[in-house]
Amino acid sequence: MSEPPFHSSLSANLVTFGRLLREQGLLVGFGEQGEAVRVVENLGVCGRARLRDALRVLWATSPRDRAIFDEVFERFWQVWARGDEWKQTTSHREPDMRPPPPSAASLRSWLTGGAHSGSTGTVAIARFSPGEVLGRRDLRDLSHLPAREVEDQIGRIIRSIALRPSRRFGAPRRRGRLDLRRTVARYARSGGDLLEPVYRGPGDPRPDLLAFLDVSRSMELYTGFTLRLLAAFRMHARRIEAFTFGTRLQRITPQLRDPREQHLRTRLAEAVPDWAGGTRIGATLERFHDEWGRRLLRPSTVVLILSDGWDTGEPERLAESMRRLHRRSRFLIWLNPLMGHPGFEPETVGMRTVLPFVDCMHPCHDLASLRELARLLSRNPVRPGRRGRAALREVEPVGPELAGWVESASSTHSRLRIDMPCVDLQE
Amino acid sequence: MLPPVSGWGRIAVMKADDPVWALREALHGAGYVADEETATALHLASVLEKPLLVEGPAGVGKTEIAKMLAKVEGTEFIRLQCYEGLDAHHALYEWNYQRQLLQIRLDERSGKSVEASEATLFGEDFLLARPLLRAIKAPHPVVLLIDELDRADEEFEAFLLELLSDWQITIPEIGTITARSRPWVILTSNRTRELSDAIRRRSLYLWIDFPGFEKELAIVRRQAPEVDDSLAREICRFMEVIRKEDWEKTPGVAETLDWARALAALHRDHLDPEWVERTLGIVFKDWHDIRRARPALARFFEAVGVRSRILPTSSGEEPQP
């Protein structure tokens, strides 16, 4: 198809408008655009406010979407009204004569035939471009990044490691597990009539995802990102336990339960005493094992650590704590913001100690790395709820700088698999 | 073709055949003050036959939309309250085990055959239909409200999505039950967690925020007509002022109405500091909030324009310090 059929300026501009919104991250697909055509047909002659309400109800699916929608709508329709589509003759039309509805069939065929960049020659509208340049911008400076994309990517990552596979009918999952002993005892007491099975306990408190976030001074620049990560935790997965560590271990799961996002920062500031202090990963993990490990860690838990690995403690303690963590979990993923910078080599003692116990180490310094991680995990879902260690099936070729290092490391810990996803160190 | 919008902004819509306007009037008649967007959303939900997801802070009237819609449409209102741990069975159906067991005992005594006994045991009498099944079996379209979906978990959402697409349920002992009519489905969420993309794509989306002064005044006038108009204005202005602050439990429309009715019952016709302080517990439901609000009352009054002395009224009361 070379040219869209020019049936009505409104329907063509609906399509353009929808495309603009899609670029901003709204879920406006072909199905949604088809529905918009139906809606416009149904509403007939209506004012701009009604059209805006109708399209917003249809296309914006969250408060953030609504704000984006409003902005794009204002700019779009202003420009369009000034553009060449304005036909003077329409002002003479009688108010109650309904215009012929746009031909939906031809519109749909045009939509599926392949969209064009040409929007009937109106003024080009400046828009955000979540392109390559922005994708490479460091996450330290979050203010210039489209917030939605960052949150989306983080959300995808969280969901792919923390979401249980969905169950359909199955057994009625009451709180806790069936207490067979008490059920049988009750059965015996009631003379052979099994009236009510007995369930045990208030449900399984052990989490699917266990997160450790480094809040020491070296990670201070990434505080914004850490907070985003935490906000995404809260929204996307329920069964999560989160800890911060620096010089101390601090459990911050209760702070995540609070539904008000604006309070997250203040509550964390109150709860975490060692923000921007030193780093003692080994000692804090040891403390975790002593106090929480038995309760929270189980063979199907996925562990996520966000840290740059600058450790000032003793390497032996670190190695031992990490070994225990690795052994008792299903999958251990380490997000390292330093990793994306050119010339990175895991040379510090901390990193060398830790690396054999990590199943996947990935950079997280910019949006592209987050997208990469989301893509990697979506192709290799690491779902909790299964036994045995997980490993990424798809191992991308390791860059030449790291290949030699990986070999030497794996020779000393040959029984452990090390899957290192490709790190693109070229800018 | 639709004309360009900027030229037609001022043209009055033909009210007689405007279904959105008609719906809005009907809702107002039933007692619900709806704005254009809400009425548009409800209208589109019926045109497109899609569920409507309503999100917003607690206490803004999300549940009321569904109730009022049922009233306006003259149909039954069925509500499924979601909670953590809700699973499909609780929402769909349950066999009345106790009754079945008793029936078995009786049948044994009367010597009924096994087949005959089984036939009755899995009949309608022994099936406890929960909200979703009731909504499906209804002969005329009902209004189905699935309240606080964010409290249920992702598995329940997936199950719900399936139901909303297929509109049929399989009960192993009975068979497949197909919906006789498609209900109006309204989902609400308090945004304590993000609902899945699939649900959001499947539904239309409406965001209801705390009402502004005008809307809240209209609500008070409609729902609590016994309240004196100047008192209502002061109350709404007061609520507008306090909602700018950050509270543990921001008071919603229900609190406004309760307060208005309480003050009217106490025969107040304007706000004065003494009575406001006494009735603060109606507005704020959290101890921290009350503790914060008390010392700040003077500031709020100033913003609202409530003076500390009583304006001369016809009853000629003494001015208070």
Side-chain angles (χ1 to χ4, degrees):
Chain A
M1 274 225 142
S2 56
E3 216 177 36
F6 194 77
H7 269 269
S8 87
S9 48
L10 183 71
S11 54
N13 280 287
L14 265 185
V15 170
T16 315
F17 183 49
R19 202 183 313 127
L20 276 182
L21 288 176
R22 200 164 40 238
E23 281 170 8
Q24 299 291 340
L26 269 66
L27 303 169
V28 179
F30 292 140
E32 283 80 16
Q33 296 205 310
E35 281 173 346
V37 171
R38 270 181 72 189
V39 161
V40 159
E41 281 173 17
N42 178 275
L43 289 179
V45 181
C46 69
R48 170 179 166 164
R50 177 76 59 83
L51 183 67
R52 187 200 61 206
D53 286 345
L55 289 180
R56 189 169 54 189
V57 160
L58 200 55
W59 283 348
T61 56
S62 73
R64 191 175 298 125
D65 280 3
R66 284 167 63 94
I68 298 175
F69 178 99
D70 283 340
E71 204 187 308
V72 178
F73 186 87
E74 285 306 314
R75 282 168 22 204
F76 183 78
W77 292 96
Q78 270 174 30
V79 171
W80 182 69
R82 273 187 268 125
D84 292 339
E85 319 316 311
W86 174 268
K87 290 181 170 42
Q88 296 298 327
T89 52
T90 54
S91 54
H92 300 305
R93 202 176 285 194
E94 291 150 0
D96 63 339
M97 181 174 96
R98 279 178 185 254
S103 166
S106 56
L107 191 62
R108 258 180 235 126
S109 67
W110 177 65
L111 284 173
T112 49
H116 268 266
S117 59
S119 65
T120 67
T122 45
V123 179
I125 300 162
R127 50 191 190 233
F128 292 49
S129 69
E132 275 311 298
V133 175
L134 226 48
R136 293 281 166 191
R137 195 172 254 152
D138 199 296
L139 284 174
R140 281 181 287 195
D141 182 18
L142 281 174
S143 50
H144 296 294
L145 282 175
R148 196 207 161 95
E149 254 232 82
V150 177
E151 309 232 0
D152 274 349
Q153 297 302 330
I154 298 180
R156 280 176 67 195
I157 293 169
I158 307 272
R159 278 201 299 269
S160 60
I161 52 181
L163 200 59
R164 280 182 179 271
S166 127
R167 262 193 292 189
R168 295 170 56 164
F169 284 84
R173 191 166 49 94
R174 306 281 164 77
R175 301 188 165 245
R177 286 187 290 274
L178 181 68
D179 189 341
L180 207 50
R181 191 179 60 83
R182 289 210 189 95
T183 306
V184 170
R186 193 186 274 190
Y187 178 77
R189 267 205 304 273
S190 66
D193 285 331
L194 183 66
L195 286 181
E196 197 77 48
V198 180
Y199 292 86
R200 171 178 46 180
D204 198 354
R206 287 179 294 183
D208 289 337
L209 176 63
L210 193 54
F212 295 96
L213 307 165
D214 189 339
V215 293
S216 59
R217 183 164 298 133
S218 53
M219 287 286 293
E220 199 180 358
L221 295 169
Y222 289 92
T223 309
F225 173 67
T226 308
L227 287 175
R228 288 278 163 85
L229 198 63
L230 288 172
F233 279 175
R234 197 169 45 75
M235 284 303 247
H236 290 280
R238 275 250 162 86
R239 290 178 284 249
I240 273 191
E241 286 279 342
F243 291 81
T244 60
F245 67 89
T247 48
R248 294 185 34 174
L249 185 75
Q250 179 68 38
R251 180 167 177 258
I252 54 168
T253 313
Q255 279 72 24
L256 290 187
R257 297 262 183 264
D258 192 325
R260 285 151 311 155
E261 200 167 325
Q262 67 268 27
H263 287 193
L264 191 60
R265 211 178 247 266
T266 38
R267 278 178 191 255
L268 285 175
E270 282 165 22
V272 177
D274 57 343
W275 210 281
T279 326
R280 284 167 42 217
I281 309 182
T284 48
L285 284 183
E286 214 178 74
R287 173 123 187 284
F288 168 77
H289 283 297
D290 289 337
E291 252 190 64
W292 307 96
R294 187 174 297 266
R295 258 185 287 162
L296 297 183
L297 211 48
R298 59 177 167 164
S300 55
T301 307
V302 174
V303 177
L304 181 140
I305 303 185
L306 171 66
S307 168
D308 53 8
W310 281 94
D311 186 51
T312 57
E314 302 138 10
E316 295 82 26
R317 270 177 114 174
L318 179 58
E320 180 56 30
S321 312
M322 285 298 295
R323 195 185 60 80
R324 282 172 79 180
L325 203 60
H326 171 92
R327 192 169 51 90
R328 294 175 61 189
S329 65
R330 175 170 164 73
F331 192 79
L332 204 152
I333 174 169
W334 187 295
L335 295 182
N336 190 337
L338 290 186
M339 214 173 147
H341 296 253
F344 169 80
E345 283 198 36
E347 268 195 349
T348 62
V349 176
M351 288 315 302
R352 299 190 85 111
T353 321
V354 148
L355 209 52
F357 305 112
V358 168
D359 293 309
C360 172
M361 181 170 296
H362 201 92
C364 62
H365 62 293
D366 63 13
L367 199 55
S369 56
L370 284 185
R371 279 192 213 131
E372 180 56 38
L373 179 61
R375 196 187 61 82
L376 192 66
L377 288 174
S378 65
R379 293 224 233 130
N380 299 277
V382 184
R383 295 283 160 78
R386 303 218 178 93
R387 302 206 173 276
R389 286 217 64 81
L392 298 179
R393 281 188 309 269
E394 181 191 290
V395 180
E396 294 169 320
V398 180
E401 297 84 358
L402 294 169
W405 186 87
V406 167
E407 270 158 28
S408 66
S410 54
S411 63
T412 48
H413 300 271
S414 51
R415 61 183 175 83
L416 297 166
R417 295 249 302 268
I418 305 173
D419 295 324
M420 292 234 341
C422 174
V423 174
D424 184 13
L425 296 182
Q426 278 81 35
E427 196 58 37
Chain B
M1 88 177 69
L2 279 183
V5 290
S6 53
W8 286 77
R10 297 285 178 267
I11 293 283
V13 181
M14 294 289 286
K15 299 246 169 105
D17 52 3
D18 181 7
V20 176
W21 185 87
L23 185 57
R24 210 174 155 195
E25 288 296 300
L27 283 170
H28 197 263
Y32 186 82
V33 174
D35 48 29
E36 275 285 320
E37 203 190 351
T38 308
T40 309
L42 286 170
H43 172 72
L44 290 182
S46 73
V47 162
L48 296 172
E49 291 195 335
K50 283 178 107 169
L52 178 63
L53 172 60
V54 184
E55 281 194 339
V60 296
K62 304 192 287 289
T63 310
E64 277 62 39
I65 290 186
K67 284 189 190 154
M68 289 302 155
L69 183 66
K71 215 164 151 189
V72 156
E73 296 289 319
T75 180
E76 198 187 336
F77 169 69
I78 295 182
R79 174 185 191 156
L80 172 66
Q81 176 67 50
C82 297
Y83 52 88
E84 188 159 353
L86 172 70
D87 64 20
H89 272 238
H90 288 208
L92 268 186
Y93 69 90
E94 189 117 45
W95 287 110
N96 194 343
Y97 300 112
Q98 287 90 331
R99 197 167 167 201
Q100 284 176 326
L101 282 167
L102 289 172
Q103 185 69 36
I104 291 177
R105 278 290 160 99
L106 286 174
D107 287 348
E108 273 174 13
R109 297 254 175 84
S110 68
K112 218 165 157 188
S113 76
V114 176
E115 290 82 12
S117 170
E118 245 183 58
T120 47
L121 271 183
F122 294 111
E124 300 274 327
D125 293 342
F126 297 92
L127 185 66
L128 297 171
R130 299 272 194 254
L132 292 182
L133 185 60
R134 279 199 346 248
I136 286 188
K137 282 170 66 174
H140 304 289
V142 300
V143 171
L144 174 63
L145 170 68
I146 300 181
D147 213 5
E148 296 184 326
L149 186 55
D150 54 323
R151 285 171 64 182
D153 54 21
E154 296 95 359
E155 284 101 314
F156 186 75
E157 271 183 52
F159 157 72
L160 194 62
L161 215 51
E162 227 183 284
L163 181 68
L164 291 177
S165 336
D166 299 341
W167 287 115
Q168 63 187 28
I169 288 175
T170 304
I171 299 181
E173 296 84 1
I174 294 186
T176 304
I177 302 181
T178 317
R180 278 193 265 175
S181 67
R182 302 244 178 122
W184 297 57
V185 180
I186 297 188
L187 316 166
T188 66
S189 162
N190 288 325
R191 276 193 80 80
T192 54
R193 75 171 172 91
E194 187 91 24
L195 295 176
S196 68
D197 271 359
I199 284 261
R200 287 190 295 145
R201 286 192 94 130
R202 187 80 185 76
S203 340
L204 302 177
Y205 184 86
L206 185 61
W207 171 265
I208 300 193
D209 212 338
F210 290 113
F213 174 76
E214 291 297 340
K215 187 174 177 200
E216 197 156 26
L217 187 60
I219 295 177
V220 173
R221 279 183 180 147
R222 183 73 187 74
Q223 293 269 0
E226 72 272 17
V227 176
D228 186 58
D229 201 55
S230 58
L231 174 63
R233 297 186 86 91
E234 283 189 2
I235 287 178
C236 291
R237 194 135 281 146
F238 189 86
M239 298 307 284
E240 194 183 25
V241 165
I242 62 177
R243 284 200 189 114
K244 293 201 176 97
E245 313 264 328
D246 210 11
W247 305 101
E248 300 278 330
K249 283 197 168 65
T250 312
V253 176
E255 279 74 38
T256 310
L257 287 172
D258 283 345
W259 199 32
R261 290 185 187 126
L263 288 176
L266 292 167
H267 307 296
R268 317 311 307 169
D269 57 359
H270 58 275
L271 283 184
D272 60 67
E274 186 201 341
W275 282 102
V276 169
E277 209 170 337
R278 282 191 199 174
T279 52
L280 215 50
I282 300 181
V283 178
F284 292 108
K285 302 291 168 72
D286 188 282
W287 176 67
H288 293 284
D289 288 345
I290 293 188
R291 213 169 57 151
R292 254 186 68 200
R294 282 225 165 91
L297 278 181
R299 183 162 48 91
F300 296 145
F301 286 144
E302 207 177 302
V304 171
V306 170
R307 283 180 282 264
S308 58
R309 58 182 164 75
I310 299 175
L311 299 171
T313 63
S314 52
S315 56
E317 287 170 332
E318 304 283 339
Q320 299 212 343

